[in-house]
Amino acid sequence: MKCPFCHNDDTQVIDTRVSEEGNVIRRRRRCADCDKRFTTYERIELVMPVIVKKNGSRTEYETGKLRASLMLALRKRPVSAEAVETAIQRIEEKLLSSGEREVMSGHLGELVMRELKRLDKIAYIRFASVYKSFEDVSEFAEAIQEVRKS
């Protein structure tokens, strides 16, 4: 680690502490050259896969977009913000655990539908109607029958 003061490469770790949450390591360091002290933090960096859209274009995964989609489907429904965050975490864990660098948007949509079906049946139908581009009432009826079965 380079010293931020004199840019020397030779620094010593004096003290190491793990945060209360356990996801950050704080290290106190001392420069061997100028003897100044400074603190560094280590955090886990997870790289989410790139989302490949239907038209073949690629876009970065954005938690905000996922949250907005879920919140739109869940608008005026009795689902807590905590439950939404848990669903987002489950979706992200599935994306990360797949080990893929690229994920088709259709796969992400299916993950979202699975979580919505767990959270709220009405929100699931709302999302499915847009996601699957329902064109008539019979498609709604089929989706409703599917929800009733599960």
Side-chain angles (χ1 to χ4, degrees), residues 91-118:
I91 292 168
E92 289 180 342
E93 285 171 10
K94 287 175 185 160
L95 290 174
L96 287 168
S97 67
S98 73
E100 300 292 324
R101 290 181 182 214
E102 293 183 341
V103 172
M104 299 301 292
S105 61
H107 177 64
L108 179 57
E110 293 298 323
L111 294 174
V112 170
M113 286 182 42
R114 236 180 268 149
E115 289 299 324
L116 282 172
K117 194 182 251 186
R118 240 189 233 177

Side-chain angles (χ1 to χ4, degrees), residues 90-149:
R90 278 196 296 262
I91 292 168
E92 289 180 342
E93 285 171 10
K94 287 175 185 160
L95 290 174
L96 287 168
S97 67
S98 73
E100 300 292 324
R101 290 181 182 214
E102 293 183 341
V103 172
M104 299 301 292
S105 61
H107 177 64
L108 179 57
E110 293 298 323
L111 294 174
V112 170
M113 286 182 42
R114 236 180 268 149
E115 289 299 324
L116 282 172
K117 194 182 251 186
R118 240 189 233 177
L119 288 174
D120 186 88
K121 306 295 188 215
I122 301 297
Y124 167 79
I125 297 295
R126 285 178 180 170
F127 187 86
S129 70
V130 174
Y131 178 70
K132 293 183 176 182
S133 303
F134 289 177
E135 293 186 17
D136 64 19
V137 178
S138 66
E139 291 174 295
F140 271 102
E142 288 173 23
I144 292 168
Q145 288 302 321
E146 180 188 326
V147 169
R148 284 185 176 158
K149 289 177 187 175

Side-chain angles (χ1 to χ4, degrees), residues 11 18 27-28 39 45 57 61 69 77 84 91 95 99 102-103 111 125:
T11 60
V18 178
R27 298 190 194 280
R28 287 292 297 155
T39 304
E45 181 180 4
S57 66
Y61 169 83
S69 293
R77 298 299 303 156
V84 173
I91 292 168
L95 290 174
E102 293 183 341
V103 172
L111 294 174
I125 297 295

Side-chain angles (χ1 to χ4, degrees), residues 36-74:
K36 290 191 178 178
R37 295 174 183 223
F38 59 99
T39 304
T40 59
Y41 296 90
E42 293 179 24
R43 290 179 176 82
I44 296 171
E45 181 180 4
L46 299 173
V47 179
M48 295 300 285
V50 171
I51 306 302
V52 181
K53 295 185 177 184
K54 289 178 186 175
N55 66 6
S57 66
R58 286 158 172 72
T59 184
E60 295 284 323
Y61 169 83
E62 294 179 40
T63 303
K65 278 179 141 178
L66 176 61
R67 184 176 291 108
S69 293
L70 288 169
M71 294 307 289
L72 184 59
L74 290 162

